[in-house]
Amino acid sequence: MFSSSGQFASNCVFVGNTAAVRGGAVSGPNGMMGTVYDSVFRGNNGNSESLIASGTTLKGCVITNNVTGASIANYGVRLTSGCRLHDCLVADNETRYAGVTGGYAVGCRFINNHAAGENWSNPGGGAARDAALTNCYFYGNRAYRLGGAIRGGTVVNCVVVSNTVTRLRTDNDCYGAGIYLANLVENCTVMSNYCGRGAGISGITAQAV
């Protein structure tokens, strides 16, 4: 849903929307990309693909209590390459695969999001996966076994506190309740995360500078 002339939406409430593909709440016609300002996404269902289609920019939005369908490969807020979040609250969403995926987020808060699937092929990222994250706050997010808050991507000037990997094993199946396998972690506070093994930051090789 985007204006055909301006490709934007503002001060909207998206509630109870469902789609089989291309964005349960937002997807422009013919893949049109646009920006959503100061809006609320609540109780929407991404079903077989995502909540918000790739290429969308969100500014000052609240994204809460949304879910994806039953497929093990589903994303929550799927923001693939070229997508942007600015000053958004992403809270209490549940997905089968990962939270915010791809793109970048600046000045956002990620609270109590849950990657619920007991998926084994490529799991993890309760709040964010493979995204560029700057000046963001992560609290109380969960994933089944890898990356309770964050998996992959870059993490700069962020606070990562009290996140969990729910499969509490001490073998190679469970790592990184805070951050797992990120390409870069810089100037971050990482504390009080809980996992069977490697609770704070895991899967990252330190290099001398």
Side-chain angles (χ1 to χ4, degrees), residues 43-88:
N44 301 285
N45 191 341
N47 204 7
S48 67
E49 186 172 318
S50 61
L51 172 66
I52 298 169
S54 62
T56 304
T57 297
L58 303 178
K59 295 186 176 183
C61 293
V62 175
I63 305 162
T64 183
N65 295 106
N66 303 284
V67 299
T68 55
S71 169
I72 202 166
N74 286 348
Y75 296 83
V77 183
R78 187 175 189 181
L79 297 167
T80 54
S81 60
C83 294
R84 299 154 289 275
L85 259 68
H86 296 267
D87 302 314
C88 293

Side-chain angles (χ1 to χ4, degrees), residues 13-128:
V13 178
F14 299 85
V15 178
N17 300 286
T18 300
V21 295
R22 297 287 298 275
V26 171
S27 179
N30 300 318
M32 180 184 296
M33 295 180 288
T35 302
V36 181
Y37 299 91
D38 303 318
S39 296
V40 175
F41 297 85
R42 184 178 65 248
N44 301 285
N45 191 341
N47 204 7
S48 67
E49 186 172 318
S50 61
L51 172 66
I52 298 169
S54 62
T56 304
T57 297
L58 303 178
K59 295 186 176 183
C61 293
V62 175
I63 305 162
T64 183
N65 295 106
N66 303 284
V67 299
T68 55
S71 169
I72 202 166
N74 286 348
Y75 296 83
V77 183
R78 187 175 189 181
L79 297 167
T80 54
S81 60
C83 294
R84 299 154 289 275
L85 259 68
H86 296 267
D87 302 314
C88 293
L89 171 64
V90 183
D92 299 302
N93 302 287
E94 184 165 318
T95 174
R96 297 292 297 177
Y97 192 81
V100 172
T101 307
Y104 70 77
V106 178
C108 296
R109 292 171 293 155
F110 297 86
I111 299 174
N112 296 334
N113 300 286
H114 186 197
E118 297 183 9
N119 45 315
W120 289 89
S121 60
N122 202 15

Side-chain angles (χ1 to χ4, degrees), residues 153-190:
T154 61
V155 191
V156 178
N157 297 331
C158 292
V159 176
V160 184
V161 178
S162 298
N163 304 281
T164 305
V165 166
T166 58
R167 188 174 190 263
L168 297 178
R169 294 271 296 269
T170 58
D171 54 21
N172 291 337
D173 290 331
C174 306
Y175 278 114
I179 303 169
Y180 177 72
L181 214 61
N183 298 318
L184 171 69
V185 178
E186 183 177 273
N187 296 329
C188 293
T189 298
V190 182

Side-chain angles (χ1 to χ4, degrees), residues 3 10 12 14 43 113 123 165 178 192 201:
S3 162
S10 63
C12 296
F14 299 85
N113 300 286
V165 166
S192 301
I201 301 175

